[in-house]
Amino acid sequence: MGPDPDAEKHRPPPDEVLRSLGADLFDVLTAESLGDVHVLDRELAVVRSASSPARLGLALSVPEVRKALRTALATGAPVRGLRCAVRHATLSVSAFPLRGPDGGVLGLAATVTDLTVRGRAEHRVGLLEQASAVIGSSLDVFRTAAELADIAVPAFADAIAVDVLDSVLHGEAPAPGPLLDAVTVRRAAFAAMPGADVAGVHAIGGVRLMRRATPYADALADLTPRLVNDLTGLGQEEWLGRDPKRAELFRRNSAHAMLVLPLTARGVVLGLAVLYRAGESEPFDDMDVDMGKVLAGRAALCLDNARLYTRERTLARIAQRDLVPARVPHSRAVETAHTYLPVAAGGTWFDVIPLSGARVALVSGDVQGSGLRAATAMGQLRTAVHAFAAMDLEPAELLTRLHELTARLAMEQQRGGPENELAAGCLYVVHDPVELRCEAAAAAHPAPVVAVPGAPPYSLDVDQGPQLGSGTASYRTTSVAMPADSLLALFNRGLVPGGDPAELESRLAGLRDRPLRQLCDAVVGALLPHGPEDDALLLLARTRALGPDSTVSWTLPGDPRSASRARRLVAGRLAEWGLDGEVAVAAELIVSELVTNAVRYASGPLDLRLIRDNALICEVTDTNSASPHLRLADENDEGGRGMYLVGRFADRWGTRALARGKTIWAEQRLT
């Protein structure tokens, strides 16, 4: 049977059906709901409501909500937990179709739940989690401040300015407690919503004096946040009247709320974070103040870590600068120039050490790591190199002894934990301007680049020994001819980040005829056009020769009469060199004693050599490897005064061990 036409005529309209819903049914709906309950018709008009429809009106003003409800009316599918944000509120909307006797959808039963408080709590937790993950990714003050700004805008404020005390950037900080005196701050970060008029805002890095009697100075004075929710009110006229530019900036951007948060950590005041809200944004409330304190505390701790790191790095740089030679000794053996860039405050060092026989040692070393520990270890190793160099050790033996010392230092440092492990490398090169030879040994350090006249630069083939203090010491000395006007380049991995010296060789080839200082600057500028990321070192040395006009040598028999002959030979040559008077008298006595000792304690012929450099050097070489010792003879002793006299008339003297025998040398300063 078909539908009854009379029944269709007498069926009430849908809106009347909705209105005829019994009170009992509506009471059941409202009793089971935690939010507002409303009955809507097919036009989304309110038919019946258990509470004020204002919250429903907010929800219906959102296009996405209206679209979802119309879809529910058309399809009969319910809407569950649709979230929407409107006017700083978070709402949850659910809707269920109400069907008539024939099963058709007559309207909706809708609930609206205010999730604003819960939403803010969830937002706060999410923001704090993000802050913990983002803020403090580096030990740089500016980057840490920028990370705080990125977190705060737009999630928490419309704009933020982060200022730190100027002293913080240098690793320093005021005494613990509030700051009652005027302080200088530096803008470390600023962020604002897109479209904000930021003309006149202090530039990043800009310095200003914190004005007194302002919310900013007040927050620093008692370390308590300042909340100002009416920047245009009468209460702000006094301090903003003294700062018309700031007042104009607030007016242009409709800024109405400000939250000033002191940045403190470990009892130290570091600066301020100032947050602003403008336009239609809600004012700050007590929950916002608590949230701001947590964010500021997290950022302040990271800023203090950055400050402490800066302080340690600054102290390490000072120590590093003090531990490397401020002035390279002048030597006739080589002309030197260097560029030393200790940007990472690590353990890179270099040295130019005068040796006996007019020779010179060129040293480049590196202690891995940075900070005071690396700088201190570098100072210890550099001092040890000087001590071993004074013993006239050949390069491989010197590195062997340095390896043993480093191993002992490493064991001492490892007692403080594995993070204190000591790792170091060193290159030791000796140039002899008389023999025109270079000797070199390396311990886990780049080999020097050599450029001899008339040939392209190349890396010296030096056997690489193990890292100092690690493994078994096995170093070898490489000896090569080094004619005058050759170029030696010692460098570290900070200058050649990839470790490939090809570009350094290329630059030296094209620029080698420049003055050494210009050459050094040009090479470093070409290799590091954007500056170094790690400590960088380049030490250039142009070799010189001491020829026949500056050196002379004789071979004498192992005969007592050789002492008198040596005096005559020395006197004659000194006269040719224009050296007479006290210098000549002292030189004759020195050579007489050295030759006498060689004749007495060694066998076979001996060699006598004079070198005129910055000092007059007398050398006697014999076949006896035993070294003489200075001692004081008694009044009745017939001998034992030889080396005592040498020590009195020479400015310095010593012994250089050879493969067979030794060389005893003595120097008299000429300049």
Side-chain angles (χ1 to χ4, degrees):
M1 293 179 59
D4 184 356
D6 293 333
E8 291 291 337
K9 285 182 183 180
H10 296 91
R11 179 171 294 169
D15 57 341
E16 291 185 12
V17 175
L18 287 175
R19 291 188 179 91
S20 67
L21 284 171
D24 292 341
L25 176 59
F26 196 75
D27 289 343
V28 170
L29 290 174
T30 57
E32 295 300 323
S33 174
L34 297 178
D36 301 340
V37 179
H38 312 275
V39 176
L40 309 178
D41 62 17
R42 294 187 63 84
E43 301 302 323
L44 301 182
V46 178
V47 175
R48 192 165 184 177
S49 181
S51 59
S52 171
R55 193 173 291 127
L56 174 64
L58 284 176
L60 292 177
S61 68
V62 179
E64 290 79 1
V65 173
R66 296 182 65 86
K67 181 179 178 181
L69 295 182
R70 293 191 184 280
T71 301
L73 287 169
T75 64
V79 176
R80 291 186 173 89
L82 176 62
R83 286 199 177 194
C84 63
V86 56
R87 296 185 188 178
H88 308 288
T90 301
L91 305 177
S92 175
V93 179
S94 297
F96 302 90
L98 296 174
R99 301 180 183 274
D102 60 353
V105 178
L106 302 177
L108 298 173
T111 64
V112 181
T113 305
D114 190 346
L115 301 179
T116 302
V117 174
R118 188 168 69 182
R120 288 186 65 183
E122 292 175 353
H123 175 70
R124 176 177 180 175
V125 171
L127 196 60
L128 292 178
E129 289 178 351
Q130 187 180 5
S132 298
V134 172
I135 300 176
S137 64
S138 73
L139 290 172
D140 180 82
V141 171
F142 283 92
R143 183 171 177 180
T144 301
E147 290 166 348
L148 170 61
D150 291 341
I151 290 293
V153 177
F156 188 57
D158 296 321
I160 182 174
V162 182
D163 296 324
V164 298
L165 302 186
D166 195 41
S167 58
V168 171
L169 297 175
H170 305 291
E172 303 297 332
L179 301 182
L180 302 178
D181 299 325
V183 294
T184 301
V185 297
R186 190 181 294 267
R187 177 59 49 84
F190 178 83
M193 293 284 286
D197 185 353
V198 296
V201 172
H202 292 287
I204 304 299
V207 179
R208 64 188 178 94
L209 185 66
M210 187 65 68
R211 295 176 181 268
R212 293 178 178 270
T214 65
Y216 315 109
D218 293 343
L220 288 177
D222 60 11
L223 304 184
T224 302
R226 290 297 188 275
L227 177 60
V228 180
N229 269 333
D230 187 8
L231 284 175
T232 59
L234 296 177
Q236 315 307 322
E237 286 183 348
E238 185 174 349
W239 71 273
L240 278 178
R242 298 192 303 270
D243 195 349
K245 291 184 178 180
R246 187 182 299 273
E248 172 61 19
L249 183 63
F250 289 166
R251 186 194 63 77
R252 291 199 315 266
N253 289 279
S254 301
H256 57 77
M258 177 176 73
L259 178 58
V260 183
L261 299 165
L263 298 172
T264 64
R266 303 181 180 101
V268 175
V269 183
L270 304 168
L272 285 172
V274 187
L275 299 100
Y276 300 93
R277 285 183 179 172
E280 297 183 358
S281 297
E282 291 289 321
F284 293 107
D285 58 20
D286 291 341
M287 184 180 292
D288 293 325
V289 174
D290 292 339
M291 177 71 175
K293 287 181 179 179
V294 177
L295 283 177
R298 168 68 184 177
L301 186 62
C302 295
L303 285 172
D304 198 44
N305 289 339
R307 178 189 68 84
L308 294 173
Y309 171 75
T310 300
R311 176 177 174 79
E312 180 178 353
R313 187 171 60 175
T314 300
L315 293 175
R317 282 181 175 175
I318 294 173
Q320 196 174 17
R321 283 289 188 184
D322 288 343
L323 290 172
V324 298
R327 180 176 175 272
V328 174
H330 175 71
S331 170
R332 289 183 63 186
V334 292
E335 174 195 2
T336 62
H338 69 274
T339 294
Y340 179 59
L341 304 173
V343 297
T348 297
W349 90 91
F350 72 97
D351 254 313
V352 178
I353 306 174
L355 301 176
S356 65
R359 299 170 306 139
V360 65
L362 307 171
V363 188
S364 173
D366 188 26
V367 176
Q368 294 182 18
S370 61
L372 285 174
R373 184 174 288 107
T376 302
M378 177 264 283
Q380 292 173 309
L381 296 184
R382 179 174 177 258
T383 301
V385 169
H386 272 265
F388 295 146
M391 298 168 62
D392 270 320
L393 302 176
E394 58 96 13
E397 184 177 354
L398 184 142
L399 289 186
T400 298
R401 298 201 182 191
L402 193 62
H403 178 281
E404 295 169 352
L405 173 65
T406 307
R408 290 198 298 271
L409 293 175
M411 290 181 63
E412 294 176 1
Q413 290 195 8
Q414 285 177 354
R415 294 171 186 168
E419 68 278 4
N420 297 324
E421 182 178 355
L422 177 59
C426 184
L427 173 67
Y428 189 79
V429 181
V430 176
H431 173 62
D432 189 331
V434 178
E435 302 293 337
L436 294 181
R437 295 197 68 81
C438 259
E439 294 182 334
H445 192 284
V449 171
V450 178
V452 300
Y458 66 95
S459 290
L460 192 63
D461 186 14
V462 179
D463 287 335
Q464 285 291 339
Q467 189 171 261
L468 292 175
S470 176
T472 302
S474 56
Y475 305 104
R476 294 183 180 180
T477 298
T478 299
S479 181
V480 294
M482 194 63 58
D485 202 34
S486 295
L487 200 62
L488 279 165
L490 282 69
F491 61 95
N492 73 334
R493 292 180 177 86
L495 183 74
V496 184
D500 184 2
E503 187 175 357
L504 173 59
E505 296 170 8
S506 174
R507 297 293 179 180
L508 290 177
L511 304 172
R512 63 156 295 154
D513 294 330
R514 291 191 181 187
L516 211 55
R517 178 69 267 166
Q518 294 182 17
L519 174 59
C520 196
D521 292 340
V523 169
V524 172
L527 294 178
L528 301 172
H530 304 296
E533 297 181 358
D534 200 353
D535 293 349
L537 166 68
L538 175 63
L539 173 62
L540 295 180
R542 182 167 280 138
T543 63
R544 294 168 173 165
L546 294 179
D549 59 338
S550 298
T551 64
V552 63
S553 60
W554 302 277
T555 298
L556 303 175
D559 187 284
R561 290 172 296 183
S562 292
S564 60
R565 183 184 175 191
R567 288 195 298 271
R568 292 193 301 271
L569 292 172
V570 168
R573 180 47 62 104
L574 294 184
E576 294 179 15
W577 286 345
L579 300 175
D580 52 16
E582 293 182 0
V583 172
V585 172
E588 290 180 39
L589 186 148
I590 289 171
V591 73
S592 178
E593 294 298 335
L594 294 183
V595 170
T596 298
N597 270 1
V599 170
R600 178 176 299 174
Y601 298 109
S603 60
L606 54 94
D607 294 321
L608 169 63
R609 183 168 74 167
L610 289 182
I611 301 173
R612 185 183 62 175
D613 189 18
N614 298 326
L616 177 64
I617 305 169
C618 175
E619 297 183 343
V620 174
T621 302
D622 60 41
T623 57
N624 187 354
S625 58
S627 299
H629 298 282
L630 179 64
R631 67 183 183 90
L632 296 177
D634 293 333
E635 293 182 359
N636 297 326
D637 290 345
E638 295 183 2
R641 296 179 177 84
M643 296 312 300
Y644 172 76
L645 293 174
V646 171
R648 287 295 302 271
F649 285 94
D651 291 295
R652 67 187 191 115
W653 68 276
T655 304
R656 185 166 66 248
L658 304 175
R660 293 183 61 187
K662 67 180 181 299
T663 295
I664 305 177
W665 54 270
E667 291 185 3
Q668 297 170 259
R669 281 196 300 267
L670 299 179
T671 57

